[in-house]
């Protein structure tokens, strides 16, 4: 197999998730040739696929042996080839967001708001306002989530990282919006990733223009092309 980095680096924003995954020694390179690259993020996480040709997509899809899986594939036009091998599944098309620099972004202070790490005391609040999968949200708090708290100690919003390393989980309660809380916790979260020597990246569902606007304010760039999450 070839070194996957030269292929991936030709379009940084489009492949930021895969380039970041290569910084994790547990990530497995399953395929790396001139026509595409396929990784298993973290060794046991989602599959990440980038194909130049329909034939390459077919080859890489066949390497997913399990019936139940998660994968993020690109480009969208080769989704039929993927499904021809693996069968139809739920999809979520996204624009990939990536921070191209190495210097920290400016951080913001919001009057009356303190940003600090969440603890397990906040688990029920996070589940209620983001995802009721308690085990998953517990793992995200253990990994490290930031919360924004008002003068009375009430949590106004939070942010963190998904299991495959993408920035996400960003939530600001309706009554606290339009105060700059979202950009404040997102900037601090991005800088944490940089301090770890990783590549800050995320996925924004196609059509979520509000989120894209917030990301751009702190210097995040978006891929021109779509990546598609596939769940089965």
């Amino acid at each position: 197999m070839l070194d996957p980095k030269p292929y991936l680096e030709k379009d940084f924003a489009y492949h930021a998730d895969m380039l970041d995954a290569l910084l994790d020694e547990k990530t497995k390179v399953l395929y790396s040739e001139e026509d595409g690259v396929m990784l298993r993020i973290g060794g046991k996480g989602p599959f990440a696929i980038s194909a130049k040709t329909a034939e390459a997509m077919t080859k890489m899809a066949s390497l997913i042996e399990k019936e139940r899986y998660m994968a993020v594939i690109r480009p969208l036009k080769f989704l039929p080839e993927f499904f021809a091998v693996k069968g139809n599944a739920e999809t979520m098309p996204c624009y990939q967001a990536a921070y191209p620099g190495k210097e920290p972004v400016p951080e913001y202070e919001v009057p009356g708001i303190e940003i600090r790490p969440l603890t397990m005391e906040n688990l029920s609040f996070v589940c209620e306002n983001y995802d009721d999968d308690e085990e998953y949200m517990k793992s995200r708090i253990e990994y490290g989530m930031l919360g924004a708290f008002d003068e009375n100690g009430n949590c106004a919003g939070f942010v963190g990282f998904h299991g495959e390393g993408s920035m996400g989980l960003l939530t600001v309660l309706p009554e606290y919006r339009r105060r700059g809380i979202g950009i404040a916790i997102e900037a601090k979260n991005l800088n944490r990733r940089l301090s770890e020597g990783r590549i800050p990246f995320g996925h924004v569902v196609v059509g979520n223009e509000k989120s894209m606007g917030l990301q751009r304010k702190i210097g995040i760039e978006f891929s021109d092309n779509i990546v598609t999450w596939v769940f089965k």
Side-chain angles (χ1 to χ4, degrees):
M1 286 193 290
L2 301 176
D3 178 358
K5 287 185 69 176
Y7 174 99
L8 299 175
E9 288 173 342
K10 289 178 182 177
D11 192 337
F12 172 81
Y14 199 37
H15 296 121
D17 59 330
M18 299 178 76
L19 287 164
D20 178 71
L22 290 174
L23 298 173
D24 181 350
E25 61 183 14
K26 295 179 182 178
T27 291
K28 296 177 181 178
V29 180
L30 303 179
Y31 185 92
S32 182
E33 302 295 344
E34 292 183 357
D35 59 357
V37 172
M38 178 178 182
L39 308 177
R40 184 78 186 270
I41 299 173
K44 296 181 179 180
F47 297 92
I49 296 175
S50 176
K52 272 189 178 180
T53 66
E55 292 77 11
M57 181 63 76
T58 298
K59 285 188 287 186
M60 289 186 279
S62 67
L63 297 177
I64 301 177
E65 297 178 352
K66 293 184 177 181
E67 186 171 335
R68 297 183 63 184
Y69 63 89
M70 289 194 300
V72 56
I73 69 172
R74 71 218 75 187
L76 180 63
K77 67 180 180 180
F78 296 148
L79 196 59
E81 282 76 13
F82 184 88
F83 284 161
V85 176
K86 298 301 298 177
N88 290 341
E90 183 180 352
T91 62
M92 183 174 70
C94 299
Y95 286 108
Q96 183 151 271
Y99 180 66
K102 296 187 181 296
E103 294 298 317
V105 300
E107 295 189 3
Y108 304 83
E109 290 190 10
V110 181
I113 293 293
E114 177 189 7
I115 298 174
R116 63 175 187 265
L118 296 185
T119 69
M120 286 304 160
E121 292 181 357
N122 306 115
L123 177 60
S124 60
F125 176 82
V126 172
C127 290
E128 180 182 343
N129 289 283
Y130 188 83
D131 190 326
D132 61 4
D133 185 338
E134 188 170 300
E135 285 304 309
Y136 180 67
M137 298 316 302
K138 181 180 178 181
S139 73
R140 297 304 84 215
I141 292 175
E142 288 175 340
Y143 184 80
M145 289 181 65
L146 293 175
F149 294 84
D150 68 13
E151 301 96 326
N152 298 314
N154 299 313
C155 190
F158 50 81
V159 71
F161 297 93
H162 286 289
E164 89 291 354
S166 64
M167 299 187 300
L169 314 174
L170 180 61
T171 301
V172 178
L173 271 59
E175 60 267 33
Y176 292 97
R177 292 173 186 168
R178 306 185 72 83
R179 292 175 57 182
I181 293 173
I183 194 170
I185 55 178
E186 183 77 342
K188 192 172 285 289
N189 203 45
L190 186 155
N191 284 341
R192 174 197 165 180
R193 202 63 172 163
L194 282 177
S195 72
E196 296 169 341
R198 302 295 292 267
I199 298 171
F201 76 92
H203 297 113
V204 177
V205 176
V206 172
N208 190 346
E209 298 296 330
K210 186 175 181 179
S211 179
M212 292 178 73
L214 184 149
Q215 308 292 339
R216 288 192 174 104
K217 286 180 180 178
I218 57 174
I220 288 176
E221 298 178 354
F222 284 86
S223 60
D224 292 328
N225 299 305
I226 291 171
V227 301
T228 303
W229 274 97
V230 179
F231 307 91
K232 193 169 185 179

